Amino acid sequence: MAAGKRAEGSVLGGGGGGGESQESEAPGPLLPLSRLDIRRYSRQLVLPELGVSGQLRLSGSSVLVVGCGGLGCPVAQYLAAAGVGRLGLVDPDVVELDNLHRQVLHRESRLGTPKARSAASALGELNSRVRCVPYELALSPSNALQLVRDHDVVADCSDNVPTRYLVNDACVLAGKPLVSASALRLEGQLAVYNHRGGPCYRCLFPKPPPPETVTNCADGGVLGVVPGILGTLQALEVIKIASGMGATCHGSMLLFDALEGRFRHIKLRPRDPRCAVCGDHPTVTALQDYEEFCGSSATDKCRALHLLSGEERVSVEEYKRVLDSRAPHVLVDVRPPVEVDICRLPHALHVSLSKLEGGDEGSLKSLRQRIHEARQGAGDSAVLPLYVVCKLGNDSQKAVRILQGLSQNGLGPISVKDIRGGLMAWASKIDEEFPQY
């Protein structure tokens, strides 16, 4: 049922807390709370900081949740539970098995279902009084501004750099506060942008990082509870803004270290008057091509780098033919040890990329020994093929460059190529029994 519509007899609400007045931010007239509303929200209604007026603002507010994944699930869940009037749920992906350890709104029974629809279904069972609108699409320069304008607060729960810039710029152009969070491995951070004269995301990060330095959850992993903690805190900031209590994190960034169990705040720089989008003389006055701006795709899927030429790479099918022919060669697995523990090709030599980058002498000694053994069957003067593999074919490209530089360092005549798509391509195209992770 849409916010503001009441089926039961109404109970007039008045007075109460709710912090400083922000009636101008709530769309439409605020109708009284019903008897069932009072029963449902009773534990928060008695808080002086919220009260009836704050609850009425919540029920009259709308929030756009960008991403229904590890962050978006707890954000949407707590906003629906708190009684936010309308939730817009944006996500282009479907529910997959490896989502379920952290994306707690989804279920095994909804594998293959669009995430936005799955989330809306779960939220409808939690609170049928909240209107949940699923948008089964990717946020883009063509649709972002209108979607942002249609909501009072935006929660950025995405997991890629282009979408972060897109959401930020849309919020600045539409004049909407942005609550942004991120989580990776065992760490997370939270900030509120474009609120009460504070900075926007571009003020702090005017230029995107190089694509090869960016790691997301698909690449680097994440402990499921970490986005849960950050998403819950994100929901808290949204509720405080929508109810009139005011955000805590609009002048600082909250950092969370799960391993140490520690939170800390760092003060943010003030709004930059030279900012390209929110500055005194903005140069970004319309949404742009953010994938081109960032040099990466707007996806939380595993990214694909392109560091080598086609002649320096082989497909998994080509490598399978080399393996079947029993031609002398060396396969080097450059994944971290924790990934090798999950699965490996038994004939591969494990030398992690970090060891190669650090010039670890023990690892190089093992590599020289393996090359020497393989060269016995190839002939001492023959050029020995080295193939490099990792999970996805990204780190392996970096390793090829390093090994090419070492080719004159006691390794003898070698040719070095990486295997495109890595072990996950091997699993999908060559060996269906090989684990995917």
Side-chain angles (χ1 to χ4, degrees), residues 33 35 56 79 100 117 159 192 221 254 296 378 390 433:
L33 295 174
R35 174 180 58 83
L56 289 173
L79 293 181
L100 299 182
R117 192 190 313 167
D159 191 22
V192 176
L254 178 67
S296 60
C390 64
E433 297 300 315

Side-chain angles (χ1 to χ4, degrees), residues 12-28:
L12 293 177
E20 58 186 290
S21 174
Q22 287 191 355
E23 278 85 351
S24 61
E25 295 185 10

Side-chain angles (χ1 to χ4, degrees), residues 238-285:
V238 172
I239 289 170
K240 287 158 65 177
I241 293 172
S243 68
M245 283 189 269
T248 301
C249 295
H250 71 279
S252 64
M253 179 177 288
L254 178 67
L255 304 178
F256 174 57
D257 182 334
L259 199 59
E260 297 292 333
R262 182 175 61 185
F263 291 92
R264 63 189 180 99
H265 277 92
I266 59 172
K267 187 175 182 180
L268 297 179
R269 295 192 300 270
R271 184 184 72 86
D272 185 355
R274 298 166 300 174
C275 176
V277 66
C278 77
D280 297 340
H281 304 286
T283 57
V284 177
T285 57

Side-chain angles (χ1 to χ4, degrees), residues 370-384 411-414:
R370 181 65 67 88
I371 290 174
H372 174 73
E373 293 170 358
R375 201 179 294 282
Q376 302 301 309
D380 290 340
S381 61
V383 176
L384 183 73
L411 299 183
I414 58 173

Side-chain angles (χ1 to χ4, degrees), residues 54 57 71 153 276:
R57 290 191 187 96
L71 292 166
V153 186

Side-chain angles (χ1 to χ4, degrees), residues 47-95:
L47 297 173
E49 295 83 358
L50 184 75
V52 171
S53 60
Q55 187 64 50
L56 289 173
R57 290 191 187 96
L58 280 179
S59 68
S61 69
S62 58
V63 179
L64 183 67
V65 180
V66 181
C68 298
L71 292 166
C73 282
V75 167
Q77 190 167 13
Y78 274 99
L79 293 181
V84 167
R86 176 165 56 91
L87 290 174
L89 307 168
V90 180
D91 201 300
D93 293 330
V94 299
V95 179

